[in-house]
Amino acid sequence: MIDCIIIEDEPLAIEKLRIFIQKIPELNLINTFSSGINAIGFINSNSIDLIFLDIEMKELSGIQLLESTSINSKVIITTAYENYALKGYELQVCDYLLKPITFNRFIKAFNKVQHELEKQKTTKVGSKIFIKTEYRLEGINTSCILYIEGMGDYRKIVTENKSIMTLQNFKELAKILPSDNFCRVHNSFLVSINKIEKIERNRITIKNNIIPVSDSYGKYFYKKIKSK
């Protein structure tokens, strides 16, 4: 399942994209935003696979958003203006959809994103990542990670047989972890969905560890586990 959001200031354009997304079972629309400014906090706090991004928006344009924010998601630009195509490709967007968007053209853009995400998944799932800890890089198999806990300036990565402390932040860690299995559930916790034993009253149990699910992250988390 590919989790996506729409950033678009035209209600009719949002609705058209929503209809297109609903026609593709592999796409899961998480949220919509009518301005780039409103979307920044969500982008910084959540692991999103794909962003449909309008260019011409008030206050903060799509190009300004891409240039000013560290975005790990795939991006498909949606715009009525052809002159932004070169700039979009310079910013390494996946595709450029010119309005009015047809469903056939939408499908082609989706297929391109799906192909790129599948390549990433192949290299990440069950693979080893390297974490900066003290004065070395330590290798961890992603399939062994239970959860990650924020502890002040540090993040504690809890695996099946050890814990590792790192100064890498949640966003940096989410970038190197497989997005289909790891999800932020709280300001201080990121969990491996495959390691969850049970969920009760907004509390997750993993190997006798109780992890809270906050209101701000809960909606996205519950949508993600239902789509797996």
Side-chain angles (χ1 to χ4, degrees):
M1 184 66 68
I2 296 173
D3 293 330
C4 64
I5 64 172
I6 299 170
I7 307 176
E8 167 69 67
D9 64 354
E10 297 179 18
L12 291 178
I14 290 176
E15 187 57 29
K16 187 171 187 177
L17 286 171
R18 189 196 305 274
I19 291 170
F20 285 174
I21 290 169
Q22 289 174 344
K23 291 181 178 181
I24 300 177
E26 294 85 359
L27 276 177
N28 179 36
L29 181 60
I30 298 296
N31 214 332
T32 64
F33 299 90
S34 58
S35 80
I37 291 177
N38 292 338
I40 288 176
F42 187 86
I43 292 170
N44 289 335
S45 302
N46 294 277
S47 177
I48 309 158
D49 300 312
L50 172 61
I51 300 173
F52 292 95
L53 178 64
D54 186 23
I55 293 297
E56 290 288 339
M57 294 185 292
K58 296 177 181 178
E59 298 179 320
L60 185 72
S61 72
I63 294 296
Q64 290 171 328
L65 177 64
L66 290 173
E67 291 178 329
S68 63
T69 308
S70 177
I71 295 178
N72 301 321
S73 315
K74 301 299 180 184
V75 176
I76 293 177
I77 284 179
T78 61
T79 181
Y81 303 93
E82 295 183 5
N83 54 306
Y84 289 111
L86 178 59
K87 187 63 176 178
Y89 285 117
E90 288 176 355
L91 292 168
Q92 297 183 323
V93 302
C94 280
D95 211 338
Y96 186 97
L97 296 180
L98 192 62
K99 299 176 183 176
I101 303 167
T102 66
F103 186 59
N104 285 342
R105 184 64 183 86
F106 182 89
I107 285 285
K108 289 181 180 179
F110 163 73
N111 287 339
K112 185 182 295 186
V113 169
Q114 187 179 43
H115 178 68
E116 292 191 12
L117 289 174
E118 285 297 325
K119 284 197 300 183
Q120 287 184 358
K121 187 184 297 184
T122 300
T123 59
K124 283 185 177 181
V125 172
S127 64
K128 182 172 285 188
I129 59 173
F130 288 88
I131 301 298
K132 298 175 186 176
T133 176
E134 297 179 343
Y135 301 104
R136 66 183 186 276
L137 290 173
E138 186 155 349
I140 305 176
N141 194 303
T142 59
S143 63
C144 294
I145 298 173
L146 303 179
Y147 63 90
I148 301 172
E149 181 180 359
M151 305 181 73
D153 292 334
Y154 288 86
R155 254 55 56 194
K156 181 171 75 170
I157 302 173
V158 180
T159 74
E160 293 173 343
N161 48 35
K162 63 181 177 180
S163 294
I164 297 171
M165 301 297 289
T166 179
L167 284 169
Q168 289 180 259
N169 59 39
F170 279 114
K171 189 170 184 180
E172 291 171 335
L173 293 170
K175 186 176 181 179
I176 60 175
L177 289 168
S179 61
D180 63 323
N181 185 51
F182 287 86
C183 185
R184 192 90 171 267
V185 297
H186 187 277
N187 193 48
S188 299
F189 288 95
L190 185 152
V191 303
S192 169
I193 295 174
N194 288 345
K195 302 298 183 181
I196 295 174
E197 295 166 9
K198 65 179 179 179
I199 305 169
E200 185 178 10
R201 297 179 181 177
N202 285 338
R203 295 189 302 174
I204 293 168
T205 301
I206 300 178
K207 299 289 185 182
N208 295 321
N209 297 285
I210 306 299
I211 298 167
V213 179
S214 69
D215 291 339
S216 57
Y217 289 96
K219 183 178 178 181
Y220 177 74
F221 167 66
Y222 287 118
K223 279 189 176 182
K224 192 174 185 71
I225 60 176
K226 286 179 182 178
S227 67
K228 283 185 72 69

